[in-house]
Amino acid sequence: MGSPDRTPLLVLPLLLLLLPLLLLLLPGELAATAIPDVAPEEGADGGDYCLSDDRRPFSGFAAMTPYAAVRPPRASFESFAPEGCQPVQLWHLIRHGSRVIHKFEYSRLEVMLPTLKRMILKSHSYGNGELCPRDLALLRAWRTSKLDAGDTRHLTPEGRKEIEGIALRFKAAFPELVYKPYHVGKAQEENERGKPGEGTKFAFAPSFPTYDSAVTYLETLYGRHWGHVGLDLNGSPALQYFYFCRNYITKVVICSKKKKPFHNFISGKFMEEVISRVSKRLGIAVTIAKLRAMYNACRYQKAWRPERPSAWCAAFTPRDLEVLEYWEDLRMYHDQGPAHSITYKQACLLGADLLLHFRRRVNDNITDIDSTTYFVSMEALVPFLSLLGLFKDSEPLTEENINPDRVWKTSKFSSYGSNLAFVLSLCEDNSWWVSALLNEVKIQLPGCDTVFGCPWGRFVEEFDYLENCDFHVLCGGISYQLRRTQTWQLLYIMNNWM
């Protein structure tokens, strides 16, 4: 028997020595694929997408979008009016900050999500599903306790941070308007003002999130002396006008599901594709109810902790989230947007208040109010934006198609903390000027030629319709159907949005 051939054993050490040199000689593009510098592209079915590797995850979650996702890194307060014009009055509408999940919705998610988690993990243990290891680990570490962000009557820590930031930045931008200092330790005659906040007006819609937002705002400005400002603790029902408009409730809110495009959208091709992709991605059969539960859990946790990946967001690819964002946009387009004239016309109460405050300054030279700040819900803010003619597409939103270039993207203008500010300025030639800021960025108002706003006369000419506001006639009387209990409204939403 001959001796064995030892050539392979001699070649192997040589190859090991040459391997580093071979890697250095590889083209740069090929060598870079060993450790990708960017997140892998989403495949045709989304199977290659990994949330944990995505450096710029999808951030559009409609009305549950965190303010940090829409606020610019730097506010554009500078040059918001022509040179030589100084601000003399501010009118500010602020949506409440990120809130805690309501106990009714919490109870539903508390039941559904742990079961879904076990099903997904079990399916992946059998080799089904397409979640990457890190997303799977994210889901495995998720606990129901992460849905409990505190008392439902309060904002989340992120929500307070959102409102605090708005207060500080507007105080810095308009120090003479927003903040009225008062030293409690000084004698009355030594103070420039009779009480803290004199010259400012604050009000909130009667709800826990708006009240907490108002208190957070005032605490940021005045510290422990905020109570001296004189905030009416009963809230202002006028800021919750949508609860009382009978025609809005009967013609829009509680009309048949079949008349609501966002409900018909559920059975369309776009949602069918999402359900199919998510089912394949998770390795389990997904229903619309399960989809909604996971989507809401994803949105809540992103709103509470924007800088962290949300375990339930891993269930979706960016393409899925784009469709779900449109679903929410379509719902708000119908219920709070321009789909029905009564929806936005009822917001004339806010428009009339805006013009009243500015007219008192321009026409009557009444200077007792320098700034007006209202804290409202999304249901009050969005109709007012529609009433002003903002974010209006040339074609209405429908359930048949998704326009990726639409201007009606509620993630951009109805996030937690979204705010709209009007600034009245007095110019050197004694003329008046009106500017507008949305989420701390200059916006061009309809009828105005630039983002700097327009002269007072032009503004009044364009928006005089805001004063034609007979709420009782417009709404066909007052209704207490929604106002009777907020629990009724919540149950209606949970049962009719799907």
Side-chain angles (χ1 to χ4, degrees):
M1 184 176 182
S3 60
D5 187 0
R6 301 182 182 271
T7 302
L9 295 178
L10 295 174
V11 172
L12 183 59
L14 183 59
L15 289 176
L16 292 175
L17 290 172
L18 292 175
L19 183 58
L21 180 60
L22 291 173
L23 287 175
L24 289 174
L25 294 175
L26 286 172
E29 294 81 358
L30 182 58
T33 60
I35 304 178
D37 192 40
V38 295
E41 294 185 3
E42 182 183 341
D45 58 359
D48 296 332
Y49 178 73
C50 183
L51 174 66
S52 299
D53 294 337
D54 194 342
R55 297 182 179 180
R56 294 184 179 179
F58 192 84
S59 59
F61 296 106
M64 289 189 189
T65 303
Y67 190 54
V70 299
R71 184 181 74 83
R74 182 182 179 186
S76 63
F77 291 121
E78 298 84 0
S79 303
F80 60 87
E83 187 176 354
C85 298
Q86 295 298 321
V88 296
Q89 195 173 81
L90 173 70
W91 190 92
H92 202 182
L93 197 65
I94 306 175
R95 188 196 171 191
H96 61 77
S98 169
R99 64 174 177 84
V100 175
I101 188 172
H102 197 282
K103 59 183 179 181
F104 287 103
E105 190 168 8
Y106 176 85
S107 62
R108 173 179 288 191
L109 299 182
E110 183 184 33
V111 172
M112 296 183 67
L113 295 179
T115 302
L116 285 170
K117 173 185 170 180
R118 288 192 295 270
M119 293 170 62
I120 295 168
L121 294 177
K122 183 177 180 180
S123 179
H124 277 73
S125 69
Y126 291 150
N128 301 319
E130 299 174 341
L131 292 179
C132 65
R134 275 184 281 184
D135 284 356
L136 203 61
L138 199 64
L139 184 62
R140 186 176 289 108
W142 181 86
R143 299 290 182 271
T144 308
S145 59
K146 295 188 177 182
L147 287 174
D148 186 4
D151 193 325
T152 58
R153 295 176 298 177
H154 297 289
L155 301 181
T156 63
E158 180 65 22
R160 286 190 289 273
K161 180 180 175 182
E162 291 167 341
I163 301 301
E164 288 170 358
I166 294 171
L168 290 173
R169 288 186 293 273
F170 271 83
K171 175 185 174 182
F174 306 102
E176 298 300 321
L177 304 182
V178 173
Y179 176 65
K180 301 301 181 180
Y182 176 89
H183 301 284
V184 177
K186 290 184 177 181
Q188 182 73 30
E189 60 273 10
E190 295 179 10
N191 276 293
E192 295 181 5
R193 306 193 177 274
K195 64 176 184 177
E198 187 177 51
T200 59
K201 179 182 177 181
F202 297 93
F204 63 94
S207 72
F208 291 125
T210 51
Y211 167 74
D212 213 17
S213 296
V215 171
T216 300
Y217 190 94
L218 290 175
E219 282 182 330
T220 304
L221 297 180
Y222 298 101
R224 60 189 178 90
H225 300 299
W226 72 267
H228 295 281
V229 174
L231 180 69
D232 184 357
L233 300 184
N234 293 319
S236 173
L239 298 178
Q240 226 170 31
Y241 57 83
F242 52 91
Y243 272 159
F244 302 99
C245 187
R246 183 184 301 277
N247 286 338
Y248 169 65
I249 294 171
T250 57
K251 295 179 181 180
V252 179
V253 177
I254 60 175
C255 72
S256 171
K257 282 185 178 183
K258 295 180 180 179
K259 297 181 180 180
K260 299 192 174 187
F262 63 85
H263 178 73
N264 300 330
F265 187 76
I266 296 172
S267 57
K269 61 179 181 179
F270 297 106
M271 288 296 284
E272 287 181 356
E273 291 172 356
V274 170
I275 291 175
S276 176
R277 286 195 298 267
V278 173
S279 297
K280 184 178 180 182
R281 182 171 173 77
L282 301 182
I284 63 172
V286 172
T287 63
I288 191 65
K290 294 176 181 177
L291 185 80
R292 180 79 184 186
M294 291 186 290
Y295 182 53
N296 279 347
C298 160
R299 297 197 295 165
Y300 270 119
Q301 291 191 264
K302 284 302 293 182
W304 298 340
R305 301 174 184 86
E307 73 285 352
R308 300 182 186 179
S310 171
W312 290 104
C313 288
F316 309 100
T317 66
R319 183 190 302 180
D320 299 329
L321 293 175
E322 286 178 358
V323 175
L324 294 175
E325 180 189 31
Y326 183 79
W327 183 26
E328 289 290 306
D329 286 350
L330 197 58
R331 176 184 64 76
M332 293 177 64
Y333 185 85
H334 180 277
D335 278 5
Q336 282 85 38
H340 302 278
S341 61
I342 185 62
T343 304
Y344 55 84
K345 285 183 177 180
Q346 64 176 331
C348 64
L349 288 177
L350 295 175
D353 186 87
L354 165 65
L355 279 176
L356 173 64
H357 279 82
F358 283 5
R359 279 190 185 280
R360 292 175 76 246
R361 191 61 173 265
V362 174
N363 297 341
D364 304 324
N365 196 32
I366 298 176
T367 61
D368 58 330
I369 299 296
D370 292 328
S371 70
T372 301
T373 306
Y374 296 141
F375 298 88
V376 297
S377 65
M378 173 271 294
E379 291 86 351
L381 172 63
V382 175
F384 185 56
L385 294 174
S386 296
L387 179 63
L388 296 172
L390 299 172
F391 306 105
K392 186 176 181 179
D393 288 282
S394 58
E395 297 292 333
L397 273 64
T398 69
E399 65 265 37
E400 284 85 14
N401 294 292
I402 297 177
N403 177 13
D405 300 319
R406 66 188 181 280
V407 295
W408 185 265
K409 283 194 175 183
T410 56
S411 302
K412 304 295 183 183
F413 57 82
S414 67
S415 70
Y416 287 122
S418 277
N419 59 97
L420 174 67
F422 283 87
V423 184
L424 177 67
S425 299
L426 178 61
C427 303
E428 292 176 343
D429 59 356
N430 290 324
S431 65
W432 299 89
W433 190 272
V434 180
S435 311
L437 301 161
L438 179 66
N439 295 337
E440 305 173 47
V441 177
K442 298 185 293 289
I443 58 169
Q444 184 170 347
L445 294 169
C448 296
D449 297 330
T450 71
V451 294
F452 296 107
C454 53
W456 167 251
R458 180 77 174 272
F459 178 79
V460 172
E461 181 181 345
E462 186 67 30
F463 295 103
D464 62 343
Y465 65 86
L466 296 177
E467 295 179 299
N468 300 325
C469 184
D470 191 328
F471 190 79
H472 286 75
V473 173
L474 175 68
C475 293
I478 298 296
S479 173
Y480 292 91
Q481 187 167 4
L482 289 182
R483 185 65 183 93
R484 190 177 300 118
T485 166
Q486 293 185 25
T487 301
W488 183 93
Q489 186 200 26
L490 181 70
L491 291 174
Y492 165 79
I493 290 173
M494 292 174 64
N495 293 323
N496 287 273
W497 280 2
M498 294 192 296

